[in-house]
Amino acid sequence: MKTSIPVEERMSAGHLACQGCGATMSMRYALKGLGEKTVFVIPACCWTVLAGPAPKSALDLPVLHSPFASAAATATGVKAGLTARGDRETTVVAWAGDGGTFDIGLQALSGAADRNEDIIYVCYDNEAYMNTGVQRSGGTPEGAWTMSTPGKAGSARPKKDLDAIVLAHHPAYFATATPAYAEDMTRKFAKARTIKGFRFLRILSPCPPGWKTDPKDSAKVSRLAVQTGLFRLYEVENGRMRLNMPVANRKPVGEYLRLQGRFKGLSAEAEAAIQASVDKIWNEGKS
Amino acid sequence: MPLLDDDARSLPRVILSTRRMSENKTGNWRTMRPVIDRHICTGCQICWKYCPEACVKLTDKVPAIDMDFCKGCGICVEECPKRCVSFVPEASV
Ligand code: SF4
Ligand code: SF4
C-alpha cells in the first residue's frame, strides 16, 4: 500500500499526551524519518512524562532521560560512548522543549553546536513551559497569555530568535517543521540522519491546553501558522537557506491568532503590529 | 524492575523499560467518538496520517480506529477531506 509517510510506527498508543498533542504528532513523524537505529536523550519537558513511567515506554527505541540543562551535553556523551564502542551508525537525538532549549539548555546547546558534535538536536517549540502549567519561556510570542504573564496584554517581550542564535553557530543542517506538514517533517528527519555534524530542527508544536485551542484544531492551527507566514518552513545547508513553502497569498495573521484563546486579549493594534512584522520579514526575503 | 547489569558489568546500573505503554488503554479518556461513514470514505489515509495516538489502522480502504486507544481529540473529524467522520457523544453509543 502506498502511503505519504512510512507505515512503521515506533511510537505506540497508550502514551500520556493530552488530546490533540502536537508534540506527539511530531514524535511520530520524527521516528518515521529517523528509523530504528536511533537513541533519544530527553531532558525535562512534556515528553519526559508522555513516554510513560519506567518500566514502560511508548517509544520503541532507547531513551535516556537527562536533567533540564544538559540535553545537548548528554547527547554528546552518548555519541562519544557509542563511537568508543565501535558503533558509528546509530543516530543520537536530543529531543527538548522550548524551555529546555531557548532558556535552560541554551549553554549546552551552544557548546555542542560550536564543537560540531555529531548529533541531531530537536526543539519541539510549544512556546511556553507547558508541562508545569503554562509558564512563559523565551519561546513565548509577544501578546500570548501564560500563567506567568497574566492580564490582557499577555507576554510583553517578543519571542527570542532562536533560529538566528543556532544559525550563528554554522550548523551542518538546520530546518524548521510543523505537524500539519507531516511529509515535509518526515523528509527532514530522514535527511538529517544522513548528514554528519551538528544538526538542528525546530518544530512549531501546537499545545491545546497551553494555546487554549480545541484539540481537533491541532493540524489546522499548525497549517495556519505557515499559511499566514508567521512560521516559515525552511532549511539551511552549508549556509544556504531554502524556503520550502513559499506562501504566495498569505492569509491574515488573525486567522491563526483567533483560533487560540491565548491571544484573546490581543488588541487590534497589537494584531496589526504582528501583521506588519510578518509582512516585513517576507518583503525582506523578496529583495 | 529489570536492570542493565548482567550483560554489561562495566556499565552503570540503569533501569530498563521492558514493557510498553500500549498496556495503558487510553480509550476511556474519550467523551466523543469518531465514526467513519464507510460509504463516503475514499480511503485517502489522512485520518491515519494525523492521528496523535497512532490508533487509526490502515486497511485496504476504510481505516479502522482502535477504540481501546482513541482519545477522541477530533483531529480526524476535522481533517477528513470528505467530512465523513462524525463525532458522536460517547454516552449515546
Ligand atoms: S480521512 Fe476521511 S476519507 Fe480519508 S481515509 Fe479517513 S475517513 Fe476515509
Ligand atoms: S479522534 Fe483523535 S485519537 Fe481518535 S482516531 Fe481521531 S485523531 Fe485519533
Side-chain angles (χ1 to χ4, degrees), chain B residues 36 41-47 63 80-82 84-85:
Chain B
I36 301 175
C41 169
T42 58
C44 71
Q45 307 170 343
I46 285 176
C47 52
C80 170
K82 288 284 169 194
C84 72
V85 189

Side-chain angles (χ1 to χ4, degrees), chain A:
Chain A
M1 187 185 308
K2 207 172 145 30
T3 53
S4 66
I5 53 174
V7 179
E8 293 81 36
E9 301 291 354
R10 297 200 160 82
M11 181 196 82
S12 77
H15 61 71
L16 297 176
C18 307
Q19 292 160 316
C21 172
T24 311
M25 300 165 82
S26 303
M27 175 63 89
R28 186 172 165 234
Y29 305 143
L31 298 185
K32 284 176 186 288
L34 289 164
E36 82 182 313
K37 285 230 138 215
T38 309
V39 176
F40 265 62
V41 172
I42 302 183
C45 63
C46 289
W47 255 103
T48 310
V49 178
L50 308 195
K56 287 186 254 180
S57 174
L59 301 176
D60 280 355
L61 34 82
V63 175
L64 186 61
H65 292 284
S66 89
F68 221 146
S70 58
T74 308
T76 298
V78 171
K79 181 69 196 180
L82 287 168
T83 307
R85 293 168 69 86
D87 177 346
R88 294 183 181 278
E89 209 186 334
T90 302
T91 306
V92 179
V93 177
W95 180 271
D98 48 298
T101 306
F102 286 67
D103 303 342
I104 299 175
L106 190 58
Q107 180 276 336
L109 166 62
S110 174
D114 186 38
R115 297 187 305 269
N116 194 29
E117 296 291 349
D118 191 19
I119 60 171
I120 300 178
Y121 189 107
V122 185
C123 171
Y124 65 98
D125 178 8
N126 51 27
E127 305 196 310
Y129 291 83
M130 297 310 187
N131 186 28
T132 47
V134 200
Q135 290 82 18
R136 183 193 178 274
S137 79
T140 302
E142 193 171 349
W145 163 93
T146 69
M147 284 295 238
S148 54
T149 50
K152 269 185 87 95
S155 178
R157 295 285 299 155
K159 184 181 175 96
K160 194 188 278 187
D161 191 351
L162 182 77
D163 295 7
I165 296 172
V166 174
L167 285 168
H169 294 76
H170 314 290
Y173 179 68
F174 178 100
T176 61
T178 191
Y181 300 87
E183 293 83 1
D184 174 78
M185 191 186 301
T186 307
R187 176 185 67 79
K188 283 169 176 168
F189 275 97
K191 181 172 182 177
R193 188 171 65 91
T194 63
I195 295 171
K196 277 224 148 314
F198 190 79
R199 294 144 284 170
F200 186 93
L201 284 97
R202 184 169 66 87
I203 299 172
L204 182 71
S205 179
C207 168
W211 292 16
K212 297 192 178 291
T213 47
D214 191 313
K216 74 174 171 40
D217 287 333
S218 288
K220 189 174 171 187
V221 75
S222 156
R223 190 176 301 115
L224 276 169
V226 174
Q227 291 174 337
T228 56
L230 259 166
F231 184 73
R232 294 193 295 171
L233 286 173
Y234 67 101
E235 287 167 284
V236 182
E237 262 177 289
N238 306 317
R240 298 256 308 268
M241 190 244 206
R242 195 157 58 94
L243 208 53
N244 304 118
M245 212 74 65
V247 191
N249 300 307
R250 269 178 286 122
K251 292 186 174 172
V253 292
E255 289 193 29
Y256 171 76
L257 301 171
R258 261 185 289 282
L259 218 48
Q260 306 174 52
R262 65 174 173 156
F263 291 113
K264 211 168 70 192
L266 213 61
S267 65
E269 301 83 68
E271 186 179 320
I274 295 172
Q275 185 66 62
S277 71
V278 171
D279 292 345
K280 184 163 173 273
I281 289 169
W282 283 84
N283 291 335
E284 271 168 13
K286 267 185 208 150
S287 56

Side-chain angles (χ1 to χ4, degrees), chain B:
Chain B
M1 256 179 227
L3 289 166
L4 176 67
D5 60 352
D6 294 344
D7 305 337
R9 290 192 178 281
S10 57
L11 294 178
R13 286 164 70 90
V14 245
I15 294 167
L16 284 187
S17 287
T18 48
R19 285 158 56 190
R20 306 189 75 209
M21 280 305 282
S22 52
E23 293 175 23
N24 183 39
K25 300 262 183 355
T26 49
N28 60 2
W29 295 26
R30 194 177 56 240
T31 55
M32 298 290 282
R33 172 186 293 241
V35 179
I36 301 175
D37 185 334
R38 49 177 46 255
H39 301 295
I40 304 177
C41 169
T42 58
C44 71
Q45 307 170 343
I46 285 176
C47 52
W48 165 77
K49 181 174 81 175
Y50 284 127
C51 176
E53 309 310 314
C55 73
V56 179
K57 302 281 170 260
L58 290 175
T59 66
D60 284 343
K61 188 166 172 213
V62 182
I65 300 173
D66 188 340
M67 290 299 162
D68 278 352
F69 296 103
C70 167
K71 289 176 185 166
C73 68
I75 293 180
C76 55
V77 179
E78 185 66 26
E79 293 298 321
C80 170
K82 288 284 169 194
R83 310 292 300 171
C84 72
V85 189
S86 49
F87 219 19
V88 297
E90 198 57 40
S92 73
V93 181

